[in-house]
């Protein structure tokens, strides 16, 4: 069986990483964010959402120096 | 031959002229010819709501022939919302039908003595009484016209209660929710007592080489339907951006206070909408994508409500910008705006603005007739729409546009409105993307993503790909200012050309690399008209359209000081992967210098006389 991966761009760190076709969850190896993957066809996968919006939204808050 | 009708509503007369071939070569059609005519026919003294304003309606050069997503028609006039350039386009089937009825452009002048609608069919124009529409919404008006004229295939563009009540951000609606939304073109129709335009025709549109056209369209169909952009659009439509902006941290939240909300994602997700509410898909003339959602609310207080939509700017506008994560509120708000004929872009941003003013104590329940304008309050979102259309409460102020409303509410209130040149910014937060910020700051109809947003800046494309695409390499690091003037310029050109041809931008390289671009447009133009154009000539036409619009703005007093974004955008992003990013003053000013130079405008943003002459725009 063919052992290939489709490249997907992480929406958190913008790095690219490989995902086996039709796999519906994936971790970004660089930033460790876990994503839900939507397959438009067997060659075109895209990140549709984080596995947990709640965690993603809460942890995305950065405390900036002027706050 | 392409025809244009000059229509006087005042004396219910018209004359028909052929569109000069020279005008076609210089401006193509649609927004291009509209802009040219508008610049000639109105001036700085023109009252946008007066009979002297001119409403130009223009189908694109390719609208209605065999093609891909070539459905669009532009409406242009001096804007009652901004007092500057007004222009807005819609898809659907009205543009194609107007051409089959024998006309590419309508130039509508004067004011009717009583409400009327235009019945345009088979080369004829008739003036019909519209008094009986006075209690009808946009959908009911379209149904009534079809019933009265006994033809279910008539296509109608009309205004609803908002336009009739002269709300300054009223839009024009066709079908369930195709809208010429921004800049208040519905208010212009209302001010002229023109309540609808109905079209039906059986004329063929002349095509120079039909066989070649079919070959080209078939090739383009194969090309676009394989792209990721097409596949994603056919599932999610514009709503895909709801998820994209939130994950990447350019989702405007609470009137652009934040760039990502900290709650609501589990509910306000495109997948949730599709699973819970979508009943089917709808499309426009010639489009294989079918990006429009048909929806029905299955339960709750809006149970049974059905409409078409909503687009991303409604979801994000009432969603993150107003802090509401209740789908059913958003769907009802969308439905009301479509039925009333209200621009969703303005209504959402005005609501977010008022919510911030309410929080800061500028307005109280006394002015709002008891509405509690707290962030996320569903009753407030729906109640405000009704107040605007019914001309009461704080809605009575908003109906006059935010500029007048701010005067009434108090001087400082204007500081909280996020706008460029008087047009409110929708829900995207562009401050981390330099080309997009430049595009927003300089867009010719005021803050607008459909004029010059370099969408590709979000995709981290290799420089080689951007060179192939735009003719020059563009660094994809969103934070760099270098070369972003070209990205903005190229986007202005492709958007101007798409609008002049009547092609939907969502099917062009504006959105995705594999979709239609200048090369494809050149093939289509040659097959349809016989005109042979090069990419350089296409860029020149885009430049000509954009510079004409800039001349319009210059005449109204717009200069460099107006080519900027709100103060909030010069402060850092608070959330997400790029937190801390902000627009920096000095590099932005240098970017603006390079942008003006590229256009042949002076340091103050005014087109130089030699540039005007080179483009053939001197009077």
């Amino acid at each position: 069986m063919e052992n290939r991966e489709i490249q997907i761009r992480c929406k958190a760190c913008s790095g690219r990483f490989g995902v086996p076709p039709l796999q519906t969850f994936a971790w970004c190896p660089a930033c460790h964010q876990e994503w839900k993957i939507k397959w438009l066809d067997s060659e075109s996968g895209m990140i549709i959402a984080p596995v947990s919006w709640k965690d993603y939204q809460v942890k995305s808050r950065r405390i900036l120096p002027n706050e | 031959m392409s025809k244009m009708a000059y229509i006087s509503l005042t004396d219910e007369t018209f004359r028909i002229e052929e569109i000069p071939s020279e005008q076609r070569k210089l401006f193509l059609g649609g927004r291009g010819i509209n802009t040219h005519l508008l610049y000639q026919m109105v001036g700085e003294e023109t009252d946008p709501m007066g009979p002297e304003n001119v409403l130009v309606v223009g189908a694109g050069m390719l609208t209605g022939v065999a093609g891909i997503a070539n459905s669009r028609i532009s409406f242009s006039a001096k804007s009652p919302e901004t007092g500057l350039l007004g222009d807005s386009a819609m898809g659907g089937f009205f543009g194609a039908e107007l051409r089959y009825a024998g006309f590419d452009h309508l130039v509508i002048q004067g004011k009717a003595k009583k409400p009327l609608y235009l019945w345009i069919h088979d080369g004829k124009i008739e003036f019909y009484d519209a008094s009986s529409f006075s209690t009808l919404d946009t959908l009911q008006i379209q149904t009534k016209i079809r019933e009265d004229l006994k033809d279910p295939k008539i296509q109608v563009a009309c205004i609803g209660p908002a336009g009739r009540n002269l709300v300054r951000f009223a839009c024009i609606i066709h079908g369930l929710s195709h809208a010429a939304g921004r800049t208040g073109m519905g208010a212009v129709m209302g001010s002229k007592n023109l309540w609808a335009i109905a079209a039906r025709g059986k004329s063929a549109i002349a095509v120079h080489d039909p066989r070649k056209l079919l070959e080209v369209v078939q090739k383009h169909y194969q090309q676009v339907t394989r792209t990721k952009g097409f596949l994603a659009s056919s599932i999610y439509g514009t709503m895909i951006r709801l998820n994209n902006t939130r994950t990447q941290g350019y989702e405007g939240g609470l009137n652009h206070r934040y760039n990502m909300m900290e709650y609501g994602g589990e509910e306000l997700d495109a997948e949730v909408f599709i699973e819970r509410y979508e009943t089917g898909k709808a499309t426009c003339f010639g489009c294989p994508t079918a990006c429009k959602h048909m929806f029905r609310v299955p339960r709750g207080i809006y149970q049974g409500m059905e409409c078409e939509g909503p687009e991303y700017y409604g979801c994000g506008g009432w969603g993150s910008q107003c802090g509401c994560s209740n789908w059913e509120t958003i769907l009802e708000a969308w439905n009301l705006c479509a039925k009333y004929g209200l621009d969703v872009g303005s209504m959402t941003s005005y609501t977010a603005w008022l919510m911030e003013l309410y929080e800061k104590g500028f307005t109280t329940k006394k002015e709002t007739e008891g509405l509690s304008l707290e962030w996320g309050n569903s009753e407030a979102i729906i109640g405000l729409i009704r107040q605007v259309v019914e001309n009461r409460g704080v809605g009575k102020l908003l109906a006059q546009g935010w500029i007048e409303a701010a005067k009434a509410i108090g001087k400082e209130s204007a500081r909280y409105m996020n706008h460029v040149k008087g047009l409110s910014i929708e829900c995207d937060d562009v401050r981390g993307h330099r080309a997009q910020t430049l595009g927003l700051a300089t867009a010719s109809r005021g803050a607008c993503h459909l004029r010059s947003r370099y969408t590709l800046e979000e995709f981290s494309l290799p420089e080689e790909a951007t060179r192939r695409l735009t003719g020059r390499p563009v660094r994809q690091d969103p934070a760099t200012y270098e070369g972003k003037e070209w990205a903005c310029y190229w986007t202005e050109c492709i958007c101007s050309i798409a609008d002049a041809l009547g092609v939907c931008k969502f099917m062009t390289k504006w959105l995705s690399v594999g979709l239609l671009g200048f090369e494809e447009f050149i093939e289509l133009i040659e097959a349809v008209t016989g005109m042979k154009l090069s990419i350089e000539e296409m860029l020149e036409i885009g430049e000509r359209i954009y510079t004409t619009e800039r001349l319009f703005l210059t005449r109204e007093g717009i200069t460099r000081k107006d080519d900027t974004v709100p103060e909030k955008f010069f402060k850092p992003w608070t959330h997400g992967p790029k937190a801390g990013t902000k627009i920096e003053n000095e590099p932005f000013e240098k970017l603006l210098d390079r942008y003006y130079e590229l256009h042949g405008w002076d340091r103050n943003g005014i087109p130089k006389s030699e540039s005007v002459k080179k483009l053939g725009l001197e009077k």
Side-chain angles (χ1 to χ4, degrees):
Chain A
M1 193 172 151
E2 195 185 3
N3 184 19
R4 64 194 180 96
E5 291 188 328
I6 305 290
Q7 291 294 307
I8 284 179
R9 185 169 62 85
C10 174
K11 291 200 170 163
C13 72
S14 296
R16 290 185 189 274
F17 62 97
V19 181
L22 305 180
Q23 181 176 300
T24 51
F25 293 92
W27 292 83
C28 170
C31 71
H32 308 294
Q33 176 60 44
E34 192 181 13
W35 298 107
K36 288 183 197 167
I37 312 293
K38 174 79 179 179
W39 291 91
L40 305 167
D41 61 26
S42 61
E43 299 298 311
S44 307
M46 59 185 266
I47 286 171
I48 188 66
V51 166
S52 163
W53 273 118
K54 197 175 174 185
D55 292 348
Y56 189 76
Q57 287 180 291
V58 170
K59 84 174 185 191
S60 69
R61 175 84 163 145
R62 305 285 195 274
I63 305 300
L64 301 169
N66 61 351
E67 287 189 273
Chain B
M1 287 298 286
S2 307
K3 287 187 179 154
M4 179 184 303
Y6 287 83
I7 299 166
S8 166
L9 296 172
T10 312
D11 16 299
E12 299 189 12
T13 57
F14 64 92
R15 69 171 201 279
I16 298 170
E17 290 184 6
E18 281 182 7
I19 298 173
S21 59
E22 189 59 23
Q23 222 169 80
R24 280 287 195 203
K25 284 179 193 158
L26 293 174
F27 296 98
L28 303 177
R31 172 179 151 199
I33 288 183
N34 280 16
T35 301
H36 168 66
L37 292 172
L38 196 65
Y39 181 57
Q40 306 295 328
M41 296 181 79
V42 304
E44 65 268 44
E45 73 293 342
T46 303
D47 173 2
M49 298 290 261
E52 67 270 28
N53 199 0
V54 179
L55 177 66
V56 191
V57 184
M61 182 190 250
L62 302 178
T63 301
V65 298
I68 293 173
N70 50 337
S71 65
R72 298 190 68 84
I73 183 162
S74 291
F75 296 76
S76 313
K78 192 167 182 181
S79 166
E81 191 175 6
T82 66
L84 301 171
L85 178 69
D87 177 65
S88 201
M90 64 162 70
F93 301 85
F94 177 73
E97 201 64 42
L98 184 66
R99 292 196 81 190
Y100 302 151
F103 299 96
D104 288 9
H105 287 260
L106 309 172
V107 182
I108 301 171
Q109 298 167 282
K111 178 180 179 178
K113 293 175 187 73
K114 57 180 194 300
L116 56 78
Y117 76 93
L118 298 174
W119 168 220
I120 302 176
H121 59 109
D122 303 309
K124 296 174 203 152
I125 299 175
E126 297 183 64
F127 300 81
Y128 277 36
D129 183 14
S131 307
S132 61
F133 300 169
S134 62
T135 57
L136 305 183
D137 66 32
T138 56
L139 187 58
Q140 291 165 332
I141 288 170
Q142 295 176 69
T143 305
K144 180 159 175 50
I145 289 174
R146 290 192 188 105
E147 284 172 0
D148 287 354
L149 299 174
K150 298 182 176 53
D151 185 343
K153 292 186 176 172
I154 289 170
Q155 302 294 343
V156 179
C158 67
I159 56 170
R164 295 198 295 267
N165 293 341
L166 306 180
V167 175
R168 295 223 167 206
F169 52 101
C171 67
I172 302 169
I173 293 281
H174 153 63
L176 286 171
S177 73
H178 300 290
R182 303 233 68 187
T183 67
M185 296 300 94
V188 176
M189 276 180 71
S191 73
K192 293 183 172 302
N193 265 338
L194 174 62
W195 287 5
I197 306 171
R200 178 83 173 107
K202 298 183 187 81
S203 319
I205 300 169
V207 170
H208 170 73
D209 187 343
R211 189 183 296 269
K212 179 77 182 164
L213 178 62
L214 287 177
E215 273 173 33
V216 167
V217 171
Q218 197 169 27
K219 185 177 82 170
H220 294 173
Y221 179 85
Q222 296 295 333
Q223 174 187 329
V224 302
T225 54
R226 287 182 186 139
T227 64
K228 207 167 166 178
F230 169 84
L231 294 168
S233 292
S234 64
I235 297 171
Y236 299 107
T238 57
M239 208 183 280
I240 187 62
R241 206 165 166 78
L242 191 64
N243 290 34
N244 283 349
T245 56
R246 189 176 307 136
T247 47
Q248 294 176 90
Y250 36 91
E251 169 189 52
L254 306 190
N255 201 28
H256 287 291
R257 181 181 301 171
Y258 303 124
N259 64 303
M260 189 194 286
M261 294 299 288
E262 290 177 12
Y263 61 90
E266 308 292 346
E267 172 71 12
L268 210 59
D269 177 307
E271 296 265 273
V272 173
F273 167 82
I274 287 171
E275 190 185 317
R276 202 184 293 166
Y277 304 106
E278 188 180 276
T279 55
K281 287 279 177 19
T283 194
C284 298
F285 176 89
C287 186
T289 315
C291 75
K292 292 190 159 298
H293 312 276
M294 302 298 297
F295 69 83
R296 182 175 189 277
V297 177
R299 65 185 80 84
I301 55 171
Y302 303 118
Q303 185 176 14
M305 187 262 289
E306 293 176 296
C307 193
E308 178 186 273
E311 303 295 337
Y312 160 66
Y313 283 94
C315 307
W318 285 300
S320 54
Q321 279 286 70
C322 296
C324 174
S325 52
N326 183 331
W327 266 119
E328 285 161 25
T329 301
I330 292 168
L331 298 181
E332 171 64 357
W334 178 271
N335 175 51
L336 286 179
C337 283
K339 300 268 187 333
Y340 291 158
L342 264 183
D343 173 36
V344 168
S346 291
M347 190 66 232
T348 52
S349 40
Y350 287 13
T351 304
W353 174 58
L354 270 190
M355 285 179 162
E356 184 160 14
L357 294 184
Y358 187 82
E359 181 190 62
K360 295 196 178 333
F362 282 86
T363 53
T364 64
K365 278 190 180 174
K366 191 179 164 200
E367 291 85 37
T368 65
E369 287 190 354
L371 280 184
S372 173
L373 293 179
E374 283 155 358
W375 296 114
N377 183 352
S378 294
E379 279 177 23
I381 286 170
I382 302 299
L384 204 52
I385 295 171
R386 294 190 194 281
Q387 284 195 3
V388 166
V389 173
E390 291 162 11
N391 220 344
R392 60 185 175 81
V394 74
K396 189 173 178 177
L397 297 178
L398 277 194
Q400 297 306 307
W402 77 266
I403 298 170
E404 289 303 311
K407 285 180 195 164
I409 293 169
K411 201 179 170 188
E412 282 291 296
S413 63
R415 277 188 53 220
Y416 297 94
M417 170 51 81
N418 302 303
H419 75 98
V420 177
K421 300 181 185 70
L423 195 64
S424 59
I425 296 176
E426 295 158 310
C427 53
D428 276 354
D429 188 328
V430 299
R431 78 189 83 167
H433 297 95
R434 310 314 187 198
Q436 293 193 4
T437 303
L438 179 64
L440 195 72
T442 56
S444 57
R445 67 173 180 180
C448 175
H449 66 288
L450 290 170
R451 235 50 183 187
S452 44
R453 185 184 76 197
Y454 182 57
T455 312
L456 304 175
E457 198 171 25
E458 297 163 15
F459 300 161
S460 301
L461 298 172
E463 273 183 47
E464 179 51 27
T466 61
R467 191 193 60 75
R468 279 201 310 273
L469 188 67
T470 73
R472 296 185 191 182
V474 177
R475 281 181 58 190
Q476 285 298 281
D477 175 6
T480 186
Y481 294 84
E482 195 185 322
K484 294 298 172 71
E485 67 279 8
W486 173 254
C488 183
Y489 179 94
W490 176 85
T491 312
E492 288 169 355
C493 289
I494 200 161
C495 288
S496 304
I497 298 284
D499 283 337
L501 296 177
V503 176
C504 177
K505 293 184 191 90
F506 296 122
M507 203 40 66
T508 70
K509 293 190 194 301
W510 173 80
L511 187 70
S512 183
V513 175
L515 297 175
L516 306 178
F518 290 126
E519 289 91 343
E520 291 82 5
F521 291 158
I522 287 167
E523 291 177 317
L524 288 163
I525 292 169
E526 186 177 352
V528 172
T529 68
M531 255 199 289
K532 290 182 180 171
L533 294 166
S534 64
I535 289 182
E536 290 69 30
E537 286 167 317
M538 294 291 273
L539 287 168
E540 187 177 288
I541 293 169
E543 167 74 62
R544 184 175 295 114
I545 295 169
Y546 220 76
T547 294
T548 305
E549 292 175 341
R550 188 69 188 190
L551 287 167
F552 186 106
L553 295 177
T554 300
R555 190 170 60 193
E556 297 290 334
I558 293 298
T559 62
R560 183 184 187 112
K561 70 180 185 322
D562 305 293
D563 290 337
T564 188
V565 290
E567 202 182 311
K568 276 181 191 172
F569 285 57
F570 288 89
K571 293 184 176 148
W573 265 347
T574 52
H575 289 68
K578 304 268 168 53
T581 307
K582 62 176 181 176
I583 300 296
E584 296 137 312
N585 229 323
E586 201 186 320
F588 181 75
E589 291 300 323
K590 285 182 181 165
L591 175 60
L592 201 52
D593 284 339
R594 297 196 298 275
Y595 166 82
Y596 289 155
E597 203 179 320
L598 195 54
H599 268 297
W601 303 348
D602 70 16
R603 277 185 55 83
N604 210 18
I606 295 166
K608 292 177 186 171
S609 55
E610 59 264 35
S611 311
V612 172
K613 196 173 171 190
K614 190 179 143 208
L615 294 167
L617 295 175
E618 72 275 43
K619 280 196 179 170

